[in-house]
Amino acid sequence: MSERHDEGPHEHDRGLSYDLPVLARRRMIRLMAGASLIPLVGCTSQEETPASSASPASSAGSSSSSSSSSAACAEIPEETAGPFPGDGSNGVNVLKESGVVRRDITKSFGDSAGGTAEGVPLTITLTVVDAASGCGTPKKGAAVYLWHCDREGNYSLYSEGVTDENYLRGVQETDDQGRVTFTSVFPGCYAGRWPHIHFEVYGSLADATAATSITNTSQLAFPKDVCDTVYATEGYDASVRNLSSLSLETDNIFSDGHAQQLATMKGSTTEGYTATLTVPV
């Protein structure tokens, strides 16, 4: 499935004919890397914990709670990287730039215009685990490239007005617990897509910064109640209108299921939010 973004002349989505070969290529990479071919059973679902009230600790615990299981669990659903990846697959490549490995992605870096993305503070923690071990083994030393739109729904490097910026993009290496954490802002909702964050998983930091050997590409979704609360604050006016015509069930990415991709949220608009997700690969 392809991702829509109504940017007029800045639309870079090549449609289904482009996305399907890309997804097929990435699945082949995983197979060549030795991904398990045994039947998969589901991990602990994010839906077992209310999305708007669970703590980051409980989200991280979802992987450890299944550590005694020897059965494989389902990998994170494979999704399109969309038209604005910035990973070299659709034009510009930010991954080879010095400074892309960072925790705080709110500011542009390097030779960019030096802007800062505004919005409700958001801390994003992804825990990458081994699906073949029943989601009980952290993937230490893997890497995650994460990116999303700004409060106005624009993507740095691509959208009009922010082509000279590279904020809201960053790479990190997973720690001993398989975790990466990014400091960011809550993304806006643009026409045609449910609020989301893109990410790619690499086997190592070297692979990520060389923009090669992607193992998994997916997206994180936000719960509606949190979106409604955030979008009632200053600067998110357009998001209120755009969200009103969407749902997770009709979104062209999450309509086939979002249980593994719905973030566990905690926080407030004044203190900021945390979003956590376990990512089996």
Side-chain angles (χ1 to χ4, degrees):
M1 289 180 288
S2 62
E3 178 177 359
R4 300 190 300 271
H5 188 283
D6 297 337
E7 286 287 338
H10 294 273
E11 174 61 69
H12 289 70
D13 192 351
R14 303 178 194 176
L16 188 63
S17 62
Y18 170 73
D19 289 333
L20 287 180
V22 171
L23 296 181
R25 175 177 61 83
R26 287 171 176 166
R27 290 192 180 96
M28 182 59 67
I29 289 173
R30 296 205 310 277
L31 292 176
M32 293 174 65
S36 175
L37 297 179
I38 63 176
L40 300 179
V41 296
C43 294
T44 302
S45 171
Q46 291 283 337
E47 291 186 337
E48 292 179 8
T49 302
S52 59
S53 61
S55 66
S58 66
S59 175
S62 66
S63 61
S64 61
S65 65
S66 58
S67 60
S68 61
S69 173
S70 60
C73 67
E75 289 188 12
I76 193 77
E78 189 80 2
E79 307 289 8
T80 174
F84 313 110
D87 62 359
S89 63
N90 186 18
V92 65
N93 189 344
V94 74
L95 294 177
K96 295 185 177 182
E97 294 187 20
S98 176
V100 72
V101 180
R102 58 196 186 136
R103 176 186 175 113
D104 187 343
I105 61 174
T106 59
K107 298 177 176 62
S108 290
F109 64 94
D111 296 329
S112 72
T116 300
E118 303 294 337
V120 172
L122 175 67
T123 300
I124 308 147
T125 297
L126 304 183
T127 302
V128 183
V129 296
D130 181 23
S133 70
C135 293
T137 304
K139 297 285 284 187
K140 176 185 177 182
V144 175
Y145 168 44
L146 180 145
W147 73 99
H148 62 83
C149 70
D150 61 20
R151 183 170 62 180
E152 287 74 35
N154 296 321
Y155 282 87
S156 65
L157 302 175
Y158 292 91
S159 301
E160 184 175 2
V162 292
T163 54
D164 292 332
E165 304 289 356
N166 55 20
Y167 54 51
L168 305 183
R169 299 177 183 274
V171 173
Q172 283 205 66
E173 184 178 31
T174 59
D175 63 14
D176 291 348
Q177 300 301 313
R179 294 173 184 159
V180 293
T181 298
F182 295 91
T183 300
S184 191
V185 295
F186 204 95
C189 176
Y190 53 81
R193 277 305 319 277
W194 188 260
H196 62 283
I197 287 176
H198 295 269
F199 60 90
E200 293 172 343
V201 180
Y202 293 78
S204 68
L205 186 61
D207 284 345
T209 54
T212 186
S213 301
I214 300 169
T215 62
N216 300 80
T217 303
S218 197
Q219 298 182 25
L220 172 154
F222 290 97
K224 184 179 186 303
D225 60 338
V226 176
C227 293
D228 287 336
T229 300
V230 172
Y231 294 161
T233 64
E234 182 180 0
Y236 289 97
D237 297 355
S239 294
V240 175
R241 179 179 63 255
N242 292 331
L243 187 69
S244 67
S245 62
L246 298 169
S247 72
L248 280 163
E249 290 69 32
T250 61
D251 180 73
N252 67 330
I253 296 298
F254 301 121
S255 58
D256 59 351
H258 54 266
Q260 283 187 273
Q261 295 160 286
L262 190 63
T264 297
M265 303 292 299
K266 183 180 180 181
S268 66
T269 56
T270 54
E271 299 296 326
Y273 282 91
T274 61
T276 59
L277 186 72
T278 297
V279 180
V281 299

